[in-house]
Amino acid sequence: MRARTVLLGLGLLGLGLGAVALGAQSRGRPGWLRRLPSPAPHILAFELGGHVGRPEIRRMAETVLAAFDRFESVDMLVVLPEFTGLTPAAALDLEGLKAGFRSLGKVRRYAVVEPPKIAALMIETSDWFMPVQARTFPLTQRDAAEAWVARR
């Protein structure tokens, strides 16, 4: 039963990445990644915007994978204020996919601020089948997202 749940989760994660990549609003705006300050070392906070490419996903994945090696569990905050999607290369980046797969057993809380609608739907329903507490927040509730992620 556990293997079936993990496979279902991986399949939905792949579909979600594909949907975000294909549902991009604009391919003209370059993407960016910023590491945000966090209240504790085990809390990873990022801001992504524009049309995010492989370099940004690779940098984020390297940071996340290093934290997975360092901590038993991590909490994540991802802020997407002007996010318009992923390039196909970003959605299929091996390090990004590796971080996504490893997150199934390592991420405790996952908050996403201002996600695209299809991603928000997937995040809000992921509690049913994935071992992570996930929530979405509008940009106006960013402080609440930060507080929720930091709560032990």
Side-chain angles (χ1 to χ4, degrees):
M1 182 66 172
R2 175 87 171 139
R4 187 179 305 151
T5 301
V6 169
L7 287 175
L8 176 63
L10 293 177
L12 289 172
L13 176 66
L15 286 173
L17 288 174
V20 170
L22 293 174
Q25 298 169 4
S26 167
R27 298 190 185 279
R29 182 146 190 214
W32 75 85
L33 167 70
R34 290 186 193 105
R35 180 83 190 266
L36 301 173
S38 65
H42 73 279
I43 298 174
L44 304 176
F46 301 95
E47 179 180 275
L48 290 125
H51 201 69
V52 175
R54 185 174 183 217
E56 294 83 23
I57 291 299
R58 176 65 56 100
R59 284 195 341 263
M60 184 176 174
E62 288 169 352
T63 302
V64 169
L65 288 168
F68 289 167
D69 290 339
R70 187 171 169 207
F71 301 104
E72 187 172 321
S73 69
V74 299
D75 298 305
M76 291 185 67
L77 171 71
V78 179
V79 182
L80 305 170
E82 298 174 32
F83 180 77
T84 58
L86 297 172
T87 66
L92 298 174
D93 180 72
L94 291 179
E95 289 298 303
L97 292 171
K98 182 178 172 182
F101 295 145
R102 282 193 63 200
S103 71
L104 292 174
K106 294 294 247 178
V107 176
R108 184 182 71 95
R109 285 190 178 210
Y110 180 62
V112 182
V113 177
E114 203 67 22
K117 287 182 176 129
I118 188 144
L121 177 62
M122 293 185 69
I123 292 163
E124 290 293 329
T125 60
S126 69
D127 280 348
W128 296 350
F129 56 86
M130 294 180 76
V132 61
Q133 296 176 45
R135 287 188 56 192
T136 62
F137 296 83
L139 194 55
T140 57
Q141 293 181 4
R142 180 175 169 172
D143 290 344
E146 291 173 3
W148 180 77
V149 167
R151 196 177 310 141
R152 273 285 172 187

